[in-house]
Amino acid sequence: MRRRPAVALVLALSMATVACGTDDNTPRTSGGRPSSGNFAGAGDQATLSGAGATFPATIVQEWIKQYKAVAPGVTLNYQPVGSGAGIQQLTSRTVDFAGSDVALKPSEQAATGGAGNVVQIPWTAGGLAVEYNLPEVKALRLSPNALAGIFAGRISRWDDPAVRADNPGARLPAKGIQVVHRSDGSGTTQVFTEYLKAASPGIWGFPIGKDWPAGTAGTGAKGSDGVTAAVKQSTGAIGYAEVSFPRQAGLGVATVRNKAGQYVAPTAPGMSAALGSAIRKPDGTLVPDYTPEGASAYPISTTSYLMFYASGADDTKTAALEHFAAWALTEGQRLAEALDYAPLPQSIAGPALAAVTP
């Protein structure tokens, strides 16, 4: 990737921001937006189109809105069409950048021209919420085995003994469970199936991947917004989506039992606690730990990736994307918790910044 001298200023500003981390290694900014006078990307002129994962859509749309004040000459568009569709559009070069909840597979890297031809960095993190529609149950608790049993089709009623065991004293209705899953190729689905496989291997015997496996329970809906809408429309339904979707829809969000035996909600501190034990691969991508040790760790936590071409693209657009990425990894992180995401720990944000700066 050809570097431009202006990017060095982004590095200086960004690393200074990351250095102001909290005690839990979470990056923290001063709280104010950088003015156009001190930000390296302020003079960029570019129109950038992106597509991909629905998981980061809420925070990305807010970033785009706020970034306009920082770099008024940059127009950003992002379509939340799912990780699979976003990667397809990236490999066909019909978009300038893509979002995906999982890193590129070797076959996808080959389609981009080979490993290293595409920058792929974590730019946000969060948790997958288990959303449900049971008005009479205000606090639902689920163990990994109960979750796997429900989504595998082994548990079909809310008053099943396995669900009752997680919820002693709760009045669980004697009604059927309606499972809703993604119908499109989705990184969210891959993360969720990876969790089920890791946390309950004896019950989840199905494949993991972006496509929901055949032979399981439920009906499909497109996008996280589609899953959430379907769950909201059907009493007794359950699904999975990034936390902001059920929060905005007013749905119940289950607490999930972690390895320490605690039932934990998908809050920013719980997500950050889980992210601390993610494994970094040599290429800089991360392998989530779905069975983290900490008592406060929310187990279905993951990062989401920004992807764009490192070479063979328009240099002006590449520079604008680098500047936007650096802003998102620093100033943008302060928006995370209010939008139901988790700020990236410094151990993740620092290397990501290095990938988009000299």
Side-chain angles (χ1 to χ4, degrees), residues 10-348:
V10 177
L11 178 61
L13 292 171
S14 301
M15 292 308 292
T17 300
V18 172
C20 297
T22 61
D23 291 340
D24 65 357
N25 251 7
T26 301
R28 180 177 62 197
T29 68
S30 61
R33 300 178 189 172
S35 69
S36 58
N38 63 12
F39 180 64
D44 288 342
Q45 298 288 326
T47 298
L48 303 169
S49 63
T54 60
F55 179 97
T58 300
I59 194 167
V60 171
Q61 299 295 359
E62 185 61 27
W63 283 344
I64 288 172
K65 184 189 306 182
Q66 296 211 17
Y67 193 68
K68 194 67 177 176
V70 177
V74 176
T75 298
L76 285 151
N77 297 291
Y78 182 76
Q79 297 298 319
V81 294
S83 297
I87 290 173
Q88 289 175 357
Q89 292 188 44
L90 184 72
T91 57
S92 64
R93 294 182 182 259
T94 57
V95 293
D96 301 304
F97 67 96
S100 176
D101 299 334
V102 291
L104 294 172
K105 297 184 296 187
S107 60
E108 292 167 340
Q109 289 181 340
T112 66
N117 200 37
V118 167
V119 175
Q120 51 178 339
I121 56 168
W123 61 340
T124 191
L128 294 191
V130 178
E131 55 188 4
Y132 67 95
N133 184 348
L134 288 174
E136 64 270 54
V137 180
K138 302 302 181 184
L140 179 68
R141 310 197 311 178
L142 292 171
S143 66
N145 285 347
L147 262 177
I150 288 169
F151 282 90
R154 295 189 182 188
I155 297 174
S156 58
R157 295 182 62 81
W158 283 111
D159 59 350
D160 186 276
V163 183
R164 290 206 311 267
D166 286 329
N167 298 273
R171 290 190 173 184
L172 296 169
K175 64 176 58 174
I177 299 174
Q178 301 176 54
V179 170
V180 184
H181 56 76
R182 291 284 289 272
S183 61
D184 52 326
S186 161
T188 302
T189 292
Q190 179 155 337
V191 168
F192 190 60
T193 55
E194 284 178 352
Y195 161 75
L196 294 174
K197 188 71 171 179
S200 185
I203 294 178
W204 186 260
F206 298 94
I208 60 177
K210 294 188 184 77
D211 296 316
W212 186 256
T216 56
T219 58
K222 186 175 181 180
S224 292
D225 53 346
V227 171
T228 300
V231 172
K232 188 168 185 177
Q233 290 169 5
S234 301
T235 302
I238 189 171
Y240 57 93
E242 191 277 322
V243 181
S244 63
F245 289 90
R247 295 282 193 226
Q248 293 169 9
L251 288 170
V253 173
T255 55
V256 178
R257 196 175 75 194
N258 62 18
K259 190 175 181 179
Q262 302 299 309
Y263 291 87
V264 183
T267 62
M271 298 170 201
S272 295
L275 292 168
S277 56
I279 300 170
R280 181 176 300 281
K281 297 168 65 176
D283 64 359
T285 58
L286 301 167
V287 179
D289 181 2
Y290 297 117
T291 56
E293 295 287 346
S296 64
Y298 181 73
I300 324 177
S301 299
T302 188
T303 53
S304 194
Y305 293 89
L306 166 67
M307 301 173 175
F308 59 92
Y309 282 92
S311 60
D314 182 308
D315 280 349
T316 300
K317 288 187 174 185
T318 301
L321 277 168
E322 289 175 335
H323 292 147
F324 175 60
W327 181 88
L329 288 164
T330 52
E331 289 292 323
Q333 295 302 303
R334 69 184 176 84
L335 305 175
E337 190 165 354
L339 297 173
D340 296 308
Y341 293 85
L344 288 174
Q346 183 178 339
S347 59
I348 295 175

